[in-house]
Amino acid sequence: MQNLVLLLILQLARIDLLLPMSGPLAPIGNDFFDGLKMGLGRTKVEIHLWDTKNTPGRVYDAAAKIVNSQTSLIVGPLTSLNMRSLLRNVEDYNLPVISPIAKDMTLIDEYDNYFPYVLKYYMELKEQVKFVVNILGYYNFAFIMPKTSLGYSLLEQAKKFSIMYGSQIQVIKMYDPDSTDFSDIVDYLNSANVEAIFIPICDEGSYILAGQLRASENFTPIFGLEQWAKRAIKRGLGTLDKLLISTLPINYNAEIERESSLMRFEEAFNEIFGHPPSRFNIIGYDTGKLIRLLYQKNVLSNPEDVTRELNRMGIYHGLEGDILFGRDEGFITFYLVKYGKIQKLREEDYDYLKITETTP
């Protein structure tokens, strides 16, 4: 009896990790794993690492074994194709799945226990389309996206949300994020009869595009997601008035702390590995820290507790950025760029988002 008690005490929570440790995506998988180990620190969990080799067949075989184990949490795989293969095989077992890198947002609607790091973009876009239609009364809009997997995934969600709320995407334009001349898109938008322009992703290209649009004296409201807020905080948006941003709540102190924490991590990583961390090292570190947090909250004993805690937690503050787990629309906040300053949207600002010939 004493031996049995000892075994129960020593039993560790099991986490299954699916990564491409070999094959063409091995550098990403290995970077992620190195970061995850740093994030875990001395957390006492049992990690089962599966080398997916970035093939759905390997993921399928791993999933068949995982569902018959005592796992509490699945992390990965990294690509959307492999993630779809995994979810098809674990959906009947109510196992929480964390997806740090996969960009396919269509999976969000298909699996309740799926926690992708891109959920915030999904929720931000959904709440923004609903606001534009139900509150501002705009039904015809343009959707401008980068030629990236995230851009295409957001477009698919925008199409779905537009049908859901009775609006119409009249103009779809794709751009090269590295471009600097967007005159063709600007000219097209100037002649298009649209009430709102969605430019969800704020990379250097979209920032230049928006500036060129305003320089052409087109002051149609622009609607963007969280990355616009990051740029507003760091650089200011100058003349880009009438920009509405849907994002997780902005905490300036948290942003300052994130910068200093990232610097400390980069120093520690460089000391261990002899080179600065990649983006995938940082995402892996965030994931390891998340697992450590779940361990500290004593919820890793079973998958139901993990799922409940992730939903309850809602927002996780990582070095790469804030990660949304809960699907409550209350997590999303609207910010407005007005007269070159960013502020929380107020009801009295709604008229400011109406289309006029010149900036107010």
Side-chain angles (χ1 to χ4, degrees):
M1 183 65 177
Q2 288 181 341
N3 290 337
L4 176 60
V5 172
L6 181 62
L7 287 173
L8 290 175
I9 292 174
L10 293 177
Q11 188 174 14
L12 302 178
R14 170 172 170 159
I15 295 171
D16 286 84
L17 184 62
L18 290 84
L19 296 172
M21 303 302 289
S22 61
L25 295 186
I28 295 177
N30 282 275
D31 277 5
F32 182 90
F33 190 45
D34 286 340
L36 181 135
K37 287 183 289 186
M38 284 190 66
L40 283 175
R42 298 182 179 180
T43 306
K44 296 179 180 179
V45 292
E46 180 182 338
I47 300 290
H48 285 247
L49 177 61
W50 304 83
D51 180 8
T52 67
K53 295 187 178 180
N54 196 38
T55 61
R58 298 274 295 195
V59 172
Y60 182 92
D61 292 341
K65 297 175 182 177
I66 290 172
V67 295
N68 292 314
S69 70
Q70 297 298 315
T71 191
S72 296
L73 175 65
I74 301 173
V75 177
L78 299 187
T79 65
S80 297
L81 178 62
N82 289 331
M83 182 58 69
R84 185 173 293 277
S85 179
L86 173 74
L87 294 179
R88 276 202 306 265
N89 289 283
V90 303
E91 61 181 345
D92 294 331
Y93 296 87
N94 295 320
L95 297 174
V97 177
I98 288 179
S99 174
I101 297 175
K103 297 292 192 295
D104 187 354
M105 297 183 194
T106 60
L107 299 172
I108 292 171
D109 293 326
E110 300 176 12
Y111 190 67
D112 292 336
N113 293 354
Y114 179 49
F115 296 95
Y117 285 7
V118 294
L119 177 62
K120 61 182 177 182
Y121 299 116
Y122 174 96
M123 292 298 296
E124 288 165 8
L125 183 62
K126 179 181 179 182
E127 292 309 305
Q128 200 172 68
V129 173
K130 181 167 69 173
F131 176 82
V132 168
V133 175
N134 292 348
I135 303 300
L136 298 183
Y138 293 160
Y139 292 90
N140 303 315
F141 59 86
F143 195 88
I144 317 299
M145 64 173 189
K147 295 177 182 178
T148 63
S149 58
L150 180 59
Y152 283 106
S153 187
L154 281 169
L155 174 61
E156 291 307 309
Q157 300 313 307
K159 290 177 179 178
K160 179 181 68 178
F161 297 147
S162 66
I163 294 173
M164 182 184 301
Y165 297 116
S167 59
Q168 183 179 7
I169 303 177
Q170 286 195 336
V171 175
I172 297 174
K173 291 291 183 180
M174 298 169 287
Y175 65 87
D176 181 348
D178 296 323
S179 295
T180 57
D181 181 4
F182 297 93
S183 55
D184 289 346
I185 295 179
V186 170
D187 290 344
Y188 194 96
L189 290 174
N190 286 342
S191 62
N193 183 26
V194 295
E195 299 169 309
I197 300 173
F198 283 82
I199 311 179
I201 300 300
C202 184
D203 48 33
E204 195 64 25
S206 60
Y207 183 68
I208 295 171
L209 166 60
Q212 292 177 1
L213 191 66
R214 288 294 185 252
S216 72
E217 297 189 346
N218 184 328
F219 297 102
T220 305
I222 296 174
F223 300 88
L225 306 185
E226 180 181 34
Q227 291 172 332
W228 283 98
K230 302 299 183 186
R231 184 174 288 274
I233 293 170
K234 292 182 178 179
R235 290 180 53 177
L237 291 173
T239 59
L240 296 187
D241 284 336
K242 290 197 172 185
L243 170 65
L244 184 70
I245 303 164
S246 58
T247 180
L248 302 181
I250 295 175
N251 184 321
Y252 291 93
N253 290 330
E255 291 299 322
I256 295 172
E257 172 58 29
R258 196 195 316 275
E259 290 291 330
S260 60
S261 296
L262 179 58
M263 187 179 303
R264 291 194 299 271
F265 169 72
E266 289 174 341
E267 291 174 354
F269 187 94
N270 192 58
E271 185 175 337
I272 294 172
F273 294 98
H275 60 83
S278 71
R279 176 171 177 263
F280 301 109
N281 289 134
I282 297 172
I283 297 174
Y285 179 79
D286 284 343
T287 306
K289 288 269 291 189
L290 173 62
I291 294 172
R292 188 197 304 185
L293 178 61
L294 294 172
Y295 173 81
Q296 292 169 346
K297 291 179 175 292
N298 197 31
V299 298
L300 281 177
S301 56
N302 64 76
E304 291 82 8
D305 288 345
V306 173
T307 298
R308 190 178 303 110
E309 179 60 26
L310 289 173
N311 280 310
R312 188 204 65 78
M313 180 191 307
I315 300 172
Y316 171 67
H317 303 284
L319 296 185
E320 176 75 1
D322 290 337
I323 300 165
L324 179 64
F325 292 121
R327 305 189 188 193
D328 182 350
E329 63 186 33
F331 288 115
I332 307 302
T333 304
F334 290 101
Y335 291 86
L336 175 67
V337 177
K338 184 176 182 180
Y339 306 134
K341 297 181 180 179
I342 186 170
Q343 63 186 41
K344 273 195 173 182
L345 180 70
R346 301 166 298 188
E347 189 171 346
E348 54 263 36
D349 293 319
Y350 292 175
D351 286 342
Y352 179 80
L353 288 169
K354 300 297 183 181
I355 301 174
T356 58
E357 294 301 320
T358 61
T359 187

